[in-house]
Amino acid sequence: MPALAALASGFREAWADPAFRGELDALLRDYVGRPTPLYMARRLAAETGLAHVLLKREDLAHTGAHKVNNTLGQCLLAHRMGKRRVIAETGAGQHGVATATTAALLGLECSVFMGVEDIRRQALNVYKMRLLGAEVVPVSDGAGTLANAVTAALRHWVERVEDTFYVLGSALGPHPYPLIVRELQSVIGEEILQQLAERGMTVRDVDAVAACVGGGSNAIGTFHPFLREVPVGERPLLVGAEAGGEGVDTPRHGASMTRGEPGVLHGHYSYLLQDEAGNPLEAHSISAGLDYPGVGPEHAYLRDAGLVRYEPVTDAEALEAFALLCRTEGIIPAVESSHALALLPRLAEELGPRATVVVTVSGRGDKDIDVVREAGLGAD
């Protein structure tokens, strides 16, 4: 497809240009607020039976999530490629808000495709996008969730490719999107390695690194620098938490790595929840950002190569972890991030009470307040 070839060429040239990288780095520092802190969560560690828990606070980035790392880079690339208009898809709304924010910063027209069910669940982020000047395009196909929004955005991009840049929100879709998103999100893992060194710690002092996985952007950004820079024998256990929903033995989950089979969706080949004809099944998660029936293709490779382990976490386990972080550290995490936090007791049991674990808190939980309230959290 010529548009993808032009995108690959445009990104390759931009990524090699010191002026582009310098502008991106300056905005990440001065606009986004990077580096985000690596916070020692002592009370959470005590409650989960670990020696140390370090939280990578992507929730403190501007717009409240890691998504802005990616949208800033892609919108700068759109501007460089002469596109005056950007589109995006969103599930939890964090990518939509980040795209609308960056588009406003750079003076780009912006439309965000969002499933009608996610519009209902994430009303606050819909309001934010509109305040920021973006058009929110409702998608009523299928379950009205993230997968349907991606399909609608891809279809629209093909129709308007001459003047429109598609800011894809996760490490999935056709090449070069998984590569672009991985490179732009790798700032997370790079900062973790640097911040460990600043604390006088080596990577050998860390036993595990965890992140949640839907499409997988924050996870690939967390894991990739460890895979790239740390020799195998010195590398901590890397663990991704995917959406177990109501349980992987029920039809209501989003655990494509645990229960999926190889298949094609949205231009990439990866693990996919699908029927016998290869049609994608509807995924379920209490988290709007994780109920996608597939996963980014690099995660599928990392699983098959034995380089990263992926585990399902149920809605109930994520809610329990959500409440625990609120009570112990005064931090309200996104429900997506709570899936990664739910791995801590399991890792304590596996690695023992002397273990140190790093968890990426990919976003803050303001957007999820209605969801957790409807689930009964904090009702007594």
Side-chain angles (χ1 to χ4, degrees):
M1 182 178 175
L4 291 171
L7 177 60
S9 174
F11 178 71
R12 186 167 55 249
E13 292 172 6
W15 206 236
D17 183 350
F20 179 86
R21 298 289 291 270
E23 183 178 12
L24 176 60
D25 289 346
L27 285 170
L28 287 173
R29 181 189 64 232
D30 300 332
Y31 187 71
V32 174
R34 303 205 72 88
T36 57
L38 184 66
Y39 167 68
M40 183 73 78
R42 292 181 172 83
R43 295 193 67 225
L44 179 64
E47 285 287 331
T48 52
L50 291 158
H52 303 291
V53 173
L54 291 152
L55 302 179
K56 182 56 174 168
R57 298 289 310 277
E58 291 300 293
D59 57 311
L60 295 181
H62 181 46
T63 73
H66 70 292
K67 294 292 188 182
V68 72
N69 307 324
N70 175 45
T71 63
L72 196 54
Q74 290 201 43
C75 285
L76 283 175
L77 181 59
H79 196 267
R80 178 187 172 103
M81 294 177 71
K83 307 291 186 181
R84 63 173 179 78
R85 178 172 181 268
V86 295
I87 62 169
E89 84 298 328
T90 195
Q94 290 171 315
H95 175 60
V97 169
T99 304
T101 298
T102 313
L105 173 70
L106 299 177
L108 299 167
E109 183 183 340
C110 179
S111 296
V112 180
F113 292 78
M114 190 170 189
V116 291
E117 171 60 14
D118 290 337
I119 287 176
R120 183 193 68 79
R121 290 192 290 185
Q122 300 294 337
L124 177 60
N125 275 339
V126 172
Y127 182 60
K128 286 181 180 177
M129 283 182 264
R130 288 172 173 155
L131 282 177
L132 291 161
E135 174 195 19
V136 178
V137 182
V139 178
S140 56
D141 299 340
T145 56
L146 178 58
N148 312 110
V150 175
T151 300
L154 280 168
R155 186 181 300 132
H156 180 85
W157 186 45
V158 171
E159 296 169 352
R160 289 284 302 268
V161 72
E162 292 302 320
D163 69 342
T164 298
F165 186 104
Y166 180 15
V167 182
L168 211 157
S170 197
L172 48 78
H175 177 76
Y177 278 112
L179 170 69
I180 291 174
V181 175
R182 184 194 75 190
E183 293 299 288
L184 292 172
Q185 293 292 5
S186 286
V187 67
I188 301 171
E190 290 164 0
E191 286 182 7
I192 292 173
L193 288 169
Q194 181 178 345
Q195 289 166 325
L196 289 171
E198 290 169 354
R199 288 172 175 269
M201 300 173 67
T202 72
V203 76
R204 288 179 180 273
D205 295 319
V206 176
D207 298 281
V209 178
C212 64
V213 179
S217 65
N218 92 90
I220 204 69
T222 299
F223 297 154
H224 183 67
F226 283 86
L227 294 161
R228 183 184 64 206
E229 299 177 21
V230 182
V232 174
E234 302 176 18
R235 196 178 296 157
L237 174 66
L238 304 176
V239 194
E242 63 175 355
E246 295 178 3
V248 295
D249 294 326
T250 77
R252 287 176 58 78
H253 63 80
S256 56
M257 301 282 258
T258 303
R259 285 290 186 265
E261 298 289 338
V264 175
L265 179 64
H266 297 141
H268 65 273
Y269 181 68
S270 185
Y271 284 103
L272 177 65
L273 301 176
Q274 56 192 313
D275 62 21
E276 292 181 355
N279 299 308
L281 297 172
E282 290 181 5
H284 164 78
S285 172
I286 192 172
S287 165
L290 300 186
D291 61 357
Y292 182 74
V295 64
E298 188 164 345
H299 284 293
Y301 162 75
L302 293 173
R303 192 202 88 150
D304 288 351
L307 296 171
V308 179
R309 194 171 80 194
Y310 297 86
E311 299 182 15
V313 169
T314 66
D315 293 346
E317 291 173 314
L319 286 172
E320 186 176 344
F322 179 103
L324 182 62
L325 187 62
C326 292
R327 290 198 311 270
T328 57
E329 301 289 346
I331 297 170
I332 302 176
V335 175
E336 290 88 345
S337 313
S338 301
H339 285 68
L341 294 163
L343 294 176
L344 290 173
R346 301 184 194 176
L347 291 169
E349 185 173 350
E350 176 183 352
L351 302 172
R354 298 174 64 86
T356 295
V357 179
V358 176
V359 183
T360 295
V361 180
S362 56
R364 69 186 185 213
D366 312 41
K367 67 183 181 59
D368 293 321
I369 293 302
D370 288 341
V371 172
V372 299
R373 185 164 50 205
E374 287 175 9
L377 212 60
D380 52 6

